[in-house]
Amino acid sequence: MDQPSAEDPAARAAVETRGLTKRYRGGQLAVDSLDLTVPRGSVFGFLGPNGSGKTTTIRMLMGLIEPTAGRARLLGAPMPRAARSVLPRVGALIEGPALYPFLTGRDNLVRFDAADPTADPGTRAARVSAALERVGLTAAARKKARAYSLGMKQRLGLAAALLQPRELLVLDEPTNGLDPQGMREIRTLVRELADDGTTVFLSSHLLDEIEQVCTHAAVMTQGRLIVQGTVAELAAGSRGRLSITTPDPAEAVRVLKEHGVTDIVALEERVTGELPASGGSAPPLDLADLNAALVRAGVRVRAFGTERASLEDAFVALTGEGFDVAG
Amino acid sequence: MSRVEAGGEARMSKAGGGSAGAPARRPGPLWTLALFRSELGTTFRRWRTIALLGVLAAIPVLVGIAVKIETSDGGSFGQGRGGDGEGPAFFAQITNNGIFLVFASLAATLPVFLPMAIGVIAGDAVAGEAGSGTLRYLLVAPAGRTRLLLAKFTTVMAFCLVATLVVAAAGLATGALLFPLGDVTLISGTTVMAFCLVATLVVAAAGLATGALLFPLGDVTLISGTTVSFADGLLRALAVAGLVAYSLIGIATVGLFISTLTNSGIAAMAATVGLLVTVQILDTIPQLHAIQPYLFPHYWLSFADVLRDPVYWDQLAKNFGLQALYVAVFGSAAWARFTAKDITV
């Protein structure tokens, strides 16, 4: 039964690359045999330091750049060969919005829609209005795009990606230039789209953001894919630290040690430590039991919890570098 | 209200599209033309394009006023200047017949102003979109590279025609206002009646209806000594405008090709105009006569042969072939380059 389902285009991954490689003229290897699989229906976070090859990968997926080697499939069809049939079902925001400054916001969308040969001119005005409404730009639709702020341009770029019902959305840094309110709206929008069954491929440098909306993620560095999987799996790679605030740190340290917590650091009223690894023979340590044990031992606990294992920790552990390091 | 409904509709169809896999939208056969319309609209609504056309329209007006002032004492313009080249020969005729301002204007703008304006539009066509990043969004729409290039080519060609018609119409309007219109004396000499209606149509076609009502009836004289009717003269003026527009498609295609080579609109414009100037200079160096028949501006002034009786077809035919050759060669080069180009901006 597995074999036929692999043949079925609907069952295929939304994005699939095998050995995808791009070497620019001059010899720079931007992407090095990438094997990426984005499951259908997922919200996929694409991470990596600047210069790690994310944008080159996205451009190859969208048929803007010819791969040097390997192949890429979008919605089950080979790119860039099937661009004409596939791309109308894909919305994209690539490396920030690009607009015609001398056209109004609405006319910009009309122009991008006219470029799509599968877009029905009869419903164009209605679809443009709906897209503007969806990103909250209806009031500014008649303004020239040159008068737009960066956040408004970003919203208009998103609107262009939403002109048609899409099966896949490729969003490169969609919250760039947005205020916190705008970022929240975008996250809500992404969730809404995902609920509708749209696969979202999201590249971002904001790990928080990826963590909040993504179900899957992949990390690239120096043109190579180092890891891909569900966000939970990735974050599990670096577990959170236990953190307790108490006026009785010495006693707390003793109790924690008894329960197998390692790497304990006591700083004035704050005690942190590494929780014992779950799995193996021992049953996982229940935090509630630990807290009860502390209280039984007469430790006055002001705050208790784990500092959430952030994707950033996982990321730094994987790439061994910060974000502004270019390969 | 309607907006809300439209939003709901879009959402519903999205959900449907998502669950049903890919019920591919069946494109209508004429939908693909939307890109061409959009391209024309975007180009001609742009202030830069309008300003360029405005400058072109101002040239015949300035020439007309200059000739009027110079001849206001009753003297004749160009007397004793001799006709070195076809251009000045038209100037001498303007005071006798306003329609010659059309020919004079076209002859004056063809070497520099018209091709420069076309260099700006053609050079910016692809490179400008690449530079501003809009090219990547058109291509992922997906416009299709060949289709987009064809739309660009069509628009640049349309601009050649419109620019030429603007010059011709401005020349005709100015000529009609400042000078008498009359029989057109060709390089031989016959006399016929004038029809303002035709003039009005030409002007209207170029979007310069202003002043159309001011056209006086009159006879028109062409330059060959033969005189043909004003109507015939107007037809010939229209033919000349068409030929001038056709003469420009070579440089327009070269500009489009250059535009596919770079991501900077300014660089492409500068390169196209620079090439234009260089080729024009090469065309005047006698030692280079061997290559001159292959330079695109070489037969540009052949349009004057339409004003001869009988019409000299030789140079006109050569110009026809040469421009077609440039379009074929540089059009293919632009296509080859653009369809294989990595869009990294």
Side-chain angles (χ1 to χ4, degrees):
Chain A
M1 259 341 259
D2 280 338
Q3 278 313 97
S5 77
E7 298 298 318
D8 177 14
R12 275 188 183 278
V15 176
E16 190 184 17
T17 72
R18 287 293 168 266
L20 194 67
T21 302
K22 179 64 185 182
R23 187 184 288 278
Y24 282 116
R25 272 182 303 176
Q28 189 210 343
L29 194 60
V31 175
D32 187 4
S33 47
L34 195 71
D35 293 339
L36 188 70
T37 307
V38 177
R40 275 202 195 238
S42 65
V43 179
F44 196 97
F46 196 39
L47 293 164
N50 298 331
S52 59
K54 292 186 311 250
T55 298
T56 302
T57 305
I58 289 176
R59 282 175 182 269
M60 281 193 282
L61 292 177
M62 302 303 291
L64 292 173
I65 292 181
E66 189 89 20
T68 313
R71 61 186 176 80
R73 298 181 80 88
L74 215 54
L75 300 173
M79 285 295 293
R81 200 144 40 81
R84 287 202 81 151
S85 57
V86 172
L87 289 183
R89 294 182 276 142
V90 180
L93 186 65
I94 307 163
E95 266 195 294
L99 307 168
Y100 298 89
F102 50 90
L103 293 180
T104 64
R106 165 174 281 276
D107 285 344
N108 265 285
L109 292 187
V110 168
R111 170 139 173 88
F112 288 126
D113 195 57
D116 179 355
T118 68
D120 181 358
T123 61
R124 183 161 294 145
R127 283 183 294 111
V128 166
S129 297
L132 285 166
E133 176 84 31
R134 191 142 203 199
V135 298
L137 269 186
T138 305
R142 304 231 165 265
K143 262 200 212 168
K144 293 262 193 272
R146 80 161 57 82
Y148 278 21
S149 67
L150 181 55
M152 287 161 85
K153 286 179 181 166
Q154 193 76 15
R155 283 162 190 258
L156 196 63
L158 264 169
L162 298 173
L163 281 167
Q164 299 257 21
R166 312 285 192 186
E167 284 172 53
L168 170 66
L169 271 181
V170 176
L171 303 177
D172 195 1
E173 307 278 0
T175 55
N176 246 5
L178 292 180
D179 49 27
Q181 173 64 21
M183 288 188 178
R184 223 161 86 180
E185 287 172 29
I186 299 300
R187 280 199 296 269
T188 311
L189 184 64
V190 167
R191 286 201 193 99
E192 255 177 58
L193 291 164
D195 290 345
D196 287 349
T198 309
T199 309
V200 183
F201 185 78
L202 184 77
S203 105
S204 177
H205 65 279
L206 297 176
L207 289 154
D208 268 0
E209 191 171 289
I210 297 261
E211 209 164 13
Q212 285 183 46
V213 296
C214 293
T215 58
H216 294 66
V219 180
M220 260 189 105
T221 185
Q222 295 180 355
R224 291 176 159 277
L225 192 68
I226 30 180
V227 67
Q228 64 180 324
T230 65
V231 167
E233 281 167 19
L234 289 180
S238 69
R239 292 176 321 281
R241 279 177 79 84
L242 176 70
S243 169
I244 299 162
T245 310
T246 168
D248 316 313
E251 188 65 8
V253 168
R254 191 186 57 79
V255 177
L256 291 180
K257 271 188 183 150
E258 279 174 10
H259 285 81
V261 176
T262 55
D263 191 21
I264 298 171
V265 179
L267 259 177
E268 298 189 5
E269 297 205 336
R270 209 172 110 88
V271 179
T272 65
E274 205 70 40
L275 285 167
S278 55
S281 53
L285 182 64
D286 190 335
L287 287 178
D289 293 343
L290 188 58
N291 193 13
L294 282 167
V295 173
R296 266 200 307 276
V299 177
R300 294 167 292 167
V301 177
R302 284 213 184 95
F304 180 94
T306 47
E307 284 172 341
R308 199 158 49 101
S310 72
L311 209 50
E312 185 167 346
D313 297 334
F315 180 85
V316 173
L318 283 165
T319 62
E321 54 191 321
F323 257 111
D324 34 22
V325 180
Chain B
M1 179 69 182
S2 63
R3 208 171 269 138
V4 174
E5 275 170 20
E9 230 172 71
R11 205 163 298 190
M12 274 164 57
S13 59
K14 178 193 318 301
S19 57
R25 291 178 287 274
R26 204 52 54 81
L30 289 176
W31 293 6
T32 193
L33 292 179
L35 180 62
F36 290 75
R37 272 205 313 276
S38 162
E39 191 63 47
L40 279 173
T42 309
T43 304
F44 282 97
R45 269 188 306 173
R46 210 173 163 174
W47 271 111
R48 189 182 66 194
T49 313
I50 295 168
L52 276 175
L53 292 176
V55 168
L56 285 173
I59 291 168
V61 177
L62 290 177
V63 170
I65 291 171
V67 171
K68 187 77 177 174
I69 290 171
E70 186 152 335
T71 59
S72 57
D73 54 355
S76 179
F77 183 86
Q79 213 72 271
R81 268 187 206 198
D84 52 312
E86 274 96 340
F90 298 127
F91 285 87
Q93 296 271 353
I94 294 172
T95 45
N96 301 329
N97 192 337
I99 199 174
F100 274 89
L101 190 57
V102 174
F103 308 134
S105 307
L106 288 173
T109 51
L110 181 53
V112 183
F113 291 102
L114 274 173
M116 233 151 111
I118 281 146
V120 169
I121 299 293
D124 197 45
V126 177
E129 299 254 16
S132 71
T134 44
L135 182 61
R136 63 173 182 263
Y137 285 109
L138 291 178
L139 289 181
V140 303
R145 297 195 182 203
T146 305
R147 177 165 161 259
L148 182 60
L149 193 66
L150 269 178
K152 293 279 178 197
F153 180 79
T154 312
T155 305
V156 172
M157 293 303 131
F159 181 78
C160 287
L161 189 64
V162 170
T164 312
L165 284 179
V166 162
V167 172
L172 191 58
T174 311
L177 282 172
L178 296 181
F179 307 101
L181 292 177
D183 304 346
V184 178
T185 309
L186 292 179
I187 308 175
S188 40
T190 326
T191 314
V192 212
M193 288 297 296
F195 296 94
C196 341
L197 191 61
V198 183
T200 312
L201 280 179
V202 173
V203 175
L208 277 185
T210 18
L213 291 172
L214 301 168
F215 276 95
L217 281 164
D219 302 326
V220 179
T221 315
L222 291 184
I223 52 170
S224 64
T226 325
T227 305
V228 296
S229 74
F230 183 73
D232 191 355
L234 276 176
L235 277 180
R236 284 177 193 244
L238 203 56
V240 164
L243 283 170
V244 168
Y246 185 81
S247 296
L248 293 166
I249 65 174
I251 177 74
T253 312
V254 172
L256 195 59
F257 169 62
I258 292 174
S259 191
T260 62
L261 298 179
T262 167
N263 291 326
S264 158
I266 302 284
M269 290 183 217
T272 309
V273 173
L275 183 78
L276 168 77
V277 173
T278 312
V279 171
Q280 301 245 51
I281 291 171
L282 292 182
D283 200 30
T284 61
I285 299 175
Q287 284 81 358
L288 297 175
H289 64 87
I291 61 159
Q292 282 171 357
Y294 305 102
L295 301 177
F296 57 81
H298 190 65
Y299 299 109
W300 272 0
L301 292 177
S302 66
F303 74 81
D305 291 347
V306 171
L307 300 178
R308 296 181 197 280
D309 193 27
V311 173
Y312 293 177
W313 291 107
D314 182 43
Q315 300 245 307
L316 291 172
K318 280 184 178 159
N319 189 34
F320 231 73
L322 187 64
Q323 300 301 333
L325 186 69
Y326 268 84
V327 169
V329 170
F330 286 94
S332 312
W335 179 81
R337 165 72 185 158
F338 188 57
T339 49
K341 189 184 185 185
D342 277 352
I343 311 295
T344 54
V345 181

